[in-house]
Amino acid sequence: VDQPSRRVSPGSPSSLKEANQGRIVEVLRDSGTMTQAEIARVTGLAPSTVSNIVRELSTSGVLAVSPTVSNGRTAQAVRLTTDAGVIVGLDFGHRHLVVGIADPTCASIGEMRVALDEGHRFEESIDEASRILDVLLSEAGIDRSQVAGVGMGLPAPIDSRNGEVGAPSIMPGWIGVDAASVATKRLGLPVLVDNDANLGALAEARWGAGRGAENVAYLKLSDGVGAGLVIAGRVYRGRTGTAGEIGHATMNDYGAVCRCGNRGCLETLISTAAVLGLLEPNHGRNLAVVDVVRLAQNGDAACRRVLMDTGHFIGISVANLCNVFNPDRIVVGGELAQAGELLLESMRHTLSRYGIPAAVQTVEIVLAELGARSHIVGAFALAAQLHREQPPLRPVD
Ligand SMILES: [Zn+2]
């Protein structure tokens, strides 16, 4: 038996309506909540057309409408509901995993952070993420079929040509894996993958401390050290995805052997492991970054010295980065960003001595605003691309 075809000819009233519905969903995805008048202005659609489509899409549950006051007048505020699809973010670290779900505008609906064993394996970690996702979806009353896609951040370069996880990866068991296709298979959902510092850069540039700046470098100072570069609003990855890997810039030819195989990389001097290791003789093994910061603020000489030296070494690298990349703003994120001004003051001091004056006099150095959430929010932004490509919006007749 022939099924009636959903295909419609271009220019027919039905395809025009679908196009207009799609346009309204698109502007709401980018802007969050808008009044009907604003939607009409941004889309160029007639107010009556907007009003009709909003009524239909709210009847079908894709849009929610609530009264608001705009320019002193009562208006209808319109936003997407989760019936328009949700997106999923995964942020993998050396020892942690964050799973989050968000609406199509990247506003978080639920997030969960769990500890992972060091040296965790790729497949098992993805399965763990899948279990957590089920919990979050069921808590929010959302069906898995409503997930439009997954954005996944990994602490490793991702080869832009084939999607393979490159070296040096903080997770050796993951190198050479085509992370996006393996994860797509195991999760049964479309997955995009990117380096976590790139995702942090994207999130901070769009919603955090990088807002309004043209060229932004985001520093991830954690177990791994790297930078994400945003140029004119877009992440710059380079040919094989290693752009911004400042953690492996040589600081000392005869320094400690790094996990990348070289010696004396920046990361060997300033990773959280290096910082805690330096303080072990004074403060023992069970120290965390938050303790170091608290002790330093309370005047502990060793903690202060180590944080200042850390800022100094980062300052040298950032001076080189500024000379080459000449960004408007440096956004400092990752675990060590908790040290705040203790770190930034020392960075700025070194930067002013080591950088080309024209490059470093104008650059602003600020702390990440999204804090520990930078990477998961960037993962949402990545997943939102999948939402754009495959709008789960069912046409309303
Ligand atoms: Zn290295």
Side-chain angles (χ1 to χ4, degrees):
V1 181
D2 275 346
Q3 293 294 320
S5 170
R6 275 240 23 99
R7 184 168 302 207
V8 286
S9 59
S12 73
S14 180
S15 72
L16 183 63
K17 189 186 209 172
E18 278 181 32
N20 289 342
Q21 287 174 352
R23 184 78 188 100
I24 289 176
V25 168
E26 197 179 301
V27 297
L28 287 169
R29 189 161 46 205
D30 291 340
S31 308
T33 302
M34 294 172 95
T35 65
Q36 297 204 23
E38 284 166 341
I39 295 172
R41 194 164 59 242
V42 172
T43 58
L45 295 170
S48 58
T49 308
V50 171
S51 166
N52 282 336
I53 291 178
V54 166
R55 191 172 52 243
E56 288 166 359
L57 291 180
S58 51
T59 304
S60 68
V62 169
L63 299 184
V65 179
S66 53
T68 181
V69 176
S70 168
N71 298 326
R73 295 174 53 192
T74 312
Q76 299 293 315
V78 184
R79 62 176 173 80
L80 291 169
T81 69
T82 55
D83 279 6
V86 294
I87 52 179
V88 170
L90 304 179
D91 164 33
F92 280 98
H94 189 200
R95 288 167 307 182
H96 77 263
L97 161 65
V98 182
V99 182
I101 47 178
D103 75 10
T105 67
C106 298
S108 183
I109 295 169
E111 289 171 26
M112 200 183 283
R113 186 187 177 99
V114 294
L116 291 179
D117 293 337
E118 279 188 51
H120 51 89
R121 290 184 47 76
F122 185 76
E123 285 86 354
E124 286 142 32
S125 309
I126 293 289
D127 292 348
E128 172 79 359
S130 190
R131 281 190 292 274
I132 296 170
L133 176 59
D134 282 334
V135 172
L136 287 173
L137 288 171
S138 101
E139 277 175 1
I142 295 167
D143 194 82
R144 213 178 166 104
S145 65
Q146 283 169 262
V147 176
V150 180
M152 180 165 76
L154 300 179
I158 308 299
D159 194 321
S160 330
R161 299 166 304 176
N162 54 21
E164 276 182 16
V165 178
S169 168
I170 201 136
M171 302 181 293
W174 295 42
I175 293 172
V177 173
D178 179 351
S181 12
V182 176
T184 297
K185 233 171 265 166
R186 291 188 97 83
L187 294 171
L189 295 165
V191 179
L192 288 177
V193 61
D194 202 348
N195 169 265
D196 58 359
N198 288 348
L199 294 182
L202 185 65
E204 288 292 336
R206 208 173 281 176
W207 294 291
R211 275 192 319 270
E214 176 95 352
N215 303 311
V216 177
Y218 167 82
L219 305 185
K220 183 193 75 167
L221 309 174
S222 291
D223 283 321
V225 173
L229 309 177
V230 170
I231 302 177
R234 293 173 61 98
V235 174
Y236 176 75
R237 298 184 173 79
R239 183 168 163 79
T240 57
T242 66
E245 287 286 340
I246 60 163
H248 302 284
T250 306
M251 302 288 283
N252 174 5
D253 265 346
Y254 303 104
V257 174
C258 180
R259 63 191 170 86
C260 74
N262 284 332
R263 297 185 66 171
C265 295
L266 176 67
E267 195 176 285
T268 64
L269 295 169
I270 65 135
S271 70
T272 48
V275 167
L276 299 177
L278 282 167
L279 290 164
E280 202 181 303
N282 293 42
H283 293 286
R285 275 173 179 275
N286 293 321
L287 207 61
V289 172
V290 60
D291 306 319
V292 177
V293 174
R294 184 178 38 82
L295 286 163
Q297 282 162 347
N298 292 337
D300 182 275
C303 291
R304 287 186 75 84
R305 172 66 197 260
V306 167
L307 286 180
M308 281 195 285
D309 288 351
T310 301
H312 169 67
F313 290 130
I314 299 165
I316 295 175
S317 289
V318 168
N320 291 328
L321 185 72
C322 285
N323 291 351
V324 174
F325 172 55
N326 197 192
D328 308 338
R329 205 171 293 163
I330 306 271
V331 178
V332 180
E335 266 189 274
L336 286 173
Q338 294 174 77
E341 280 303 314
L342 278 171
L343 197 71
L344 264 49
E345 208 176 295
S346 157
M347 271 176 74
R348 289 193 191 103
H349 181 70
T350 302
L351 190 65
S352 68
R353 286 167 61 207
Y354 287 64
I356 297 171
V360 300
Q361 273 164 9
T362 55
V363 73
E364 299 167 87
I365 301 185
V366 296
L367 292 171
E369 276 178 19
L370 302 169
R373 294 189 62 245
S374 304
H375 302 166
I376 190 74
V377 174
F380 289 149
L382 188 64
Q385 291 176 22
L386 290 165
H387 190 272
R388 275 187 189 87
E389 285 164 17
Q390 301 171 309
L393 176 64
R394 289 172 299 278
V396 180
D397 295 320

